[in-house]
Amino acid sequence: MIPDETADDIQIAAEAQQRLAVQALAPAYVPACPGAGKTHVITLRHLQSPTRLLRQGRALISFTRVARDQMAQRCRQAGRSDLLHAPHFVGTLDSYLWEFLVKPLRATQPVPRLLESWSNVKAPVQGMDREISLHRFPMVLDPAVEPVRQGVAWNNVDRDTKRLLEKSEYDRGEWEAAALKTRDSWCKLGYFTGHEARYLALWNLRRPGRAAKLLPQLLSRFAEVVVDEAQDCSGADLAILEMLHDAGLPLVLVGDPDQAIYAWRGAQPAALQRLATKLTSAPVPLTGNWRSSPVICRLASTLRAGHRPPDTAVLREDDIPVVVLPTRFAGTGSNHRHASTSNGVVKAFRDVAQQYDIEAVDCLVTAYKYATLPGITREKQNTNQITSLAWARTVAHTEGATSAELTRACAVAVRVLFGYWFPGEVGSAERLCAAHGISLQQANRTAFTFLHSLPPPHKEWATDVWQAMKAWPAPSGVTPQHTKGRLAGAPVVARQAKATGVRTNIVHQLKGDEADAIMLILPDDGNVQRWAQGDPSADELLRVWYVAITRARRLATLAVPEEEAEDMAQMLTQYEVPVRIV
């Protein structure tokens, strides 16, 4: 047990670090460990703003809507809703670039609109020998050249799309040209995604005449811009931020390079460090972990670059050892078995958690890939419509489905219904609703009811969906055209696992999440060697593991191949991490 005075000293020191970060003058760099209270610090910094009407405000920028909403909620709870309105700005990086570096220089007609993804509209790549949707071609920017080079990120194309392309008569170069041409045609209709927002922001800032129209207004409006989770910035993001810094806009970057796990979308931790050094020679670190126990802090330190000492556990004194579960892995997550009991590995995890009075609701199972996880079937982002609709129907009938999953399921169903009701019309659901005098809220309610009415997916399910669409009451004035909008093919539906009471999600979806107990599933051979000898600064998978275990408050559990369990325990013991094999 830590003496009270020592615990008090630890908390006082951690609070002092937070105050320094709150009060640091911009430009500044705040490297923050997991559980450091970044959102708390950023919000406190914002709450310092006077209540009187300001000429200049502060921008709080995040990478996700969840983080944005958390900061907004804290401002409201503090009675400072004024901090969410002009001249301030609280939003995502995509929306910031769009609102202040792109939209002001766009024509007013057609009305420019920022999409979360090209999957929000039906946009097949035109002029080819098979139909592949535009969103299945991830785009990449190279800001190091002028003009900025852009094209398809072929390394990030999913397996199903690659199979379709292999059967095509056209080569990759022709598909890339067709994808860019299709994308440009949608841009002419006023539709853009975050990729285009970055491209246009770079274009505008690198042309003196256009920059002269944007920067004075930006510098006049914002006294500083705070970027949360800065380690997730892509090369294009960092190039834009550096130009804003050079123009005189004070930046505050808050992040943790050890949590950089989005290399597939262009995150560059090394480039972030270079920009951070340019901003300031005196970073303001946050090394107090208000989330995790000392054991978990020590475990996490084994996965960090530079062999830095463990972060300081501020509040927790739990000494629960790391648990290693010898596991026999199967093809699907629901069939993984605990080697010692032959029970499902999730049950074994729950049994261990219960030994420490941790309930199932406070347990979370995570892995690098969806295929490794137990639980309900997940939607593939790049799949055919009948499979997407089958996923949406499953979500609508799943007790405990998240609000994000339900929102996405409704969006899928709306797109299917609109494809039948408004054949040949292009545009987002919002634009079609506006054009036909339909409430988007009513469209979503209709879509959810439609999903609930559908029978369970099966091989001939497309026929059931077609009959349901024809029989479903259509909005006034809608005239479907024969079989246009009919879905074809058989849905690919994974078997749904039994409910366990334990949450599951891949690591890339866990930013901002936490639980008393975390189980990280490590099904591949060679985990111990990679853990012990790898370089986290160069190996993103090690950083993925780091993010996973730092979500834990009290208990970290590692499910590893049974033949590697002893080696894993010995390796962690050498790092002075308490561990036991169950």
Side-chain angles (χ1 to χ4, degrees), residues 366-370 372 506-508 520-521 540-541 544-545:
T366 188
Y368 181 64
K369 298 178 181 179
Y370 277 128
T372 310
I506 60 169
V507 181
H508 288 87
L520 173 60
I521 297 178
E540 187 183 50
L541 184 59
V544 169
W545 297 352

Side-chain angles (χ1 to χ4, degrees), residues 101 104-105 200-217:
L101 295 177
L105 299 184
L200 292 171
L202 285 166
W203 176 274
N204 290 337
L205 289 174
R206 288 179 174 178
R207 278 148 187 80
R210 301 178 76 84
K213 296 178 181 178
L214 295 171
L215 291 175
Q217 297 181 28

